[in-house]
């Protein structure tokens, strides 16, 4: 069954970008590719070097049992007037395979914490002290899918957290090109560009012994104004001390529990079919 992930999913991109405005309530230079490289990509779909680099990154990330990473992101929102505005945020992501994930997000529109402990999801808003909890499947891969499908929680960079990121990233790809190297936060990174039916995306991968993503950009071609999501990654740690308590949410004394609206809607639809 095809995963309902964000790249190539225009509806999800539009909803995710629009949800930035209401999230609090809901919970240096580039070296260009040689002409022959670009021509090869057009003829064969995805150039061998672009495919190889992406597979290398995917195998490395998927093989890590645990890690933490800092993600600095920005999301463009296209207003009805056609004006583009950009909302910035940063997140600390903590992952422990096969069934633990946490993301603490700080930004202009919301300060949110997301917990997955192998049994349940919890989303907590620090500004309003509301939290919502729902049952969750047994693995991170299944949990990311369920959070998107059942709860409407969209996080573009989550595609990189799957056990096999390559399979998820390449689902909608029709062509891919290796563009050379660039400097991201002082590191030399390989620059890859991919085209899909509904989105284009780029990724920069560290040239060092640990081929981690340095930067990730998604452009939604079929959303008016072609808004972009951008994420830069730093402070990777592959040997953190992550006890299970890190991924378990204990509500503060002033926290108020609410229900996930998306799950209520989904349950209502299922009830209509009976």
């Amino acid at each position: 069954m095809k995963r309902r992930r964000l790249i190539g999913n225009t509806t999800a991109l539009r909803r995710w970008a629009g949800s930035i405005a209401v999230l609090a309530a809901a919970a240096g230079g580039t070296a260009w590719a040689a002409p022959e490289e670009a021509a090869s990509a057009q003829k064969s779909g995805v150039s061998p070097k672009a495919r190889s680099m992406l597979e290398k990154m995917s195998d490395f990330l998927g093989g890590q049992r645990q890690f933490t990473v800092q993600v600095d992101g920005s999301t463009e929102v296209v207003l009805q007037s056609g004006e583009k505005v950009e909302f910035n945020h940063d997140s600390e992501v903590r992952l422990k395979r096969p069934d633990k994930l946490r993301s603490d997000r700080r930004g202009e529109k919301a300060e949110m914490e997301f917990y997955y402990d192998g049994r349940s999801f919890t989303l907590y808003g620090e500004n309003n002290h509301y939290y919502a909890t729902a049952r969750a499947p047994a693995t991170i891969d299944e949990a990311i899918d369920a959070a998107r499908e059942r709860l409407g929680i969209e996080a573009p960079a989550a595609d990189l957290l799957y056990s096999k990121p390559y399979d998820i990233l390449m689902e909608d790809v029709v062509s891919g090109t290796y563009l050379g190297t660039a400097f991201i936060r002082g590191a030399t990174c390989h620059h890859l560009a991919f085209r899909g039916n509904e989105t284009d995306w780029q990724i920069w991968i560290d040239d060092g012994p640990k081929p981690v993503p340095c930067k990730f950009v998604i452009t939604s071609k079929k959303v008016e104004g072609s808004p972009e999501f951008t994420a830069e990654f730093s402070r990777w740690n592959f040997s953190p001390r992550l006890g299970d308590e890190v991924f378990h949410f204990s509500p503060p004394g002033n926290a108020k529990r609410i229900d996930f609206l998306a799950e209520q809607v989904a349950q209502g639809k299922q009830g209509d079919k009976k």
Side-chain angles (χ1 to χ4, degrees), residues 29-182:
T30 301
W32 294 95
E36 58 269 22
E37 174 73 14
S40 174
Q42 291 175 356
K43 292 179 180 179
S44 62
V46 179
S47 75
K49 191 164 186 177
R51 187 182 302 275
S52 175
M53 291 300 307
L54 193 66
E55 287 179 334
K56 185 177 180 181
M57 181 212 72
S58 175
D59 291 345
F60 178 79
L61 278 186
Q64 302 304 310
R65 302 309 301 169
Q66 60 179 355
F67 62 77
T68 63
V69 61
Q70 174 75 22
V71 184
D72 297 313
S74 65
T75 301
E76 286 186 341
V77 175
V78 183
L79 305 181
Q80 290 184 346
S81 63
E83 178 186 3
K84 284 186 179 182
V85 294
E86 182 178 282
F87 295 100
N88 294 287
H89 58 85
D90 63 75
S91 302
E92 180 184 5
V93 176
R94 285 170 271 194
L95 177 148
K96 187 176 183 180
R97 301 191 194 279
D99 59 359
K100 303 286 189 297
L101 177 64
R102 177 174 171 178
S103 176
D104 296 355
R105 172 184 171 129
R106 305 290 179 267
E108 294 179 72
K109 286 299 177 181
E111 295 191 359
M112 312 295 297
E113 296 176 1
F114 174 81
Y115 298 79
Y116 164 63
D117 62 6
R119 297 181 299 277
S120 63
F121 304 108
T122 300
L123 194 63
Y124 172 61
E126 288 192 359
N127 290 337
N128 53 26
H129 306 296
Y130 289 155
Y131 73 97
T133 298
R135 287 177 296 178
T139 68
I140 292 172
D141 286 12
E142 295 172 316
I144 296 173
D145 287 342
R148 287 171 169 168
E149 294 170 4
R150 285 170 39 201
L151 308 179
I153 298 175
E154 301 288 356
D159 289 342
L160 301 172
L161 303 180
Y162 283 94
S163 58
K164 295 182 179 179
Y166 179 87
D167 293 345
I168 307 303
L169 293 169
M170 293 295 287
E171 280 184 358
D172 190 57
V173 166
V174 296
S175 66
T177 308
Y178 177 79
L179 295 178
T181 57

Side-chain angles (χ1 to χ4, degrees), residues 33 59 112 169 178 185 190 196 200 216 253 259:
D59 291 345
M112 312 295 297
L169 293 169
Y178 177 79
R185 295 178 181 251
H190 298 279
D200 295 339
F216 188 40
D259 292 324

Side-chain angles (χ1 to χ4, degrees), residues 13-26:
L13 271 165
R14 184 184 295 110
R15 183 174 65 252
W16 189 88
S19 70
I20 291 297
V22 294
L23 187 57

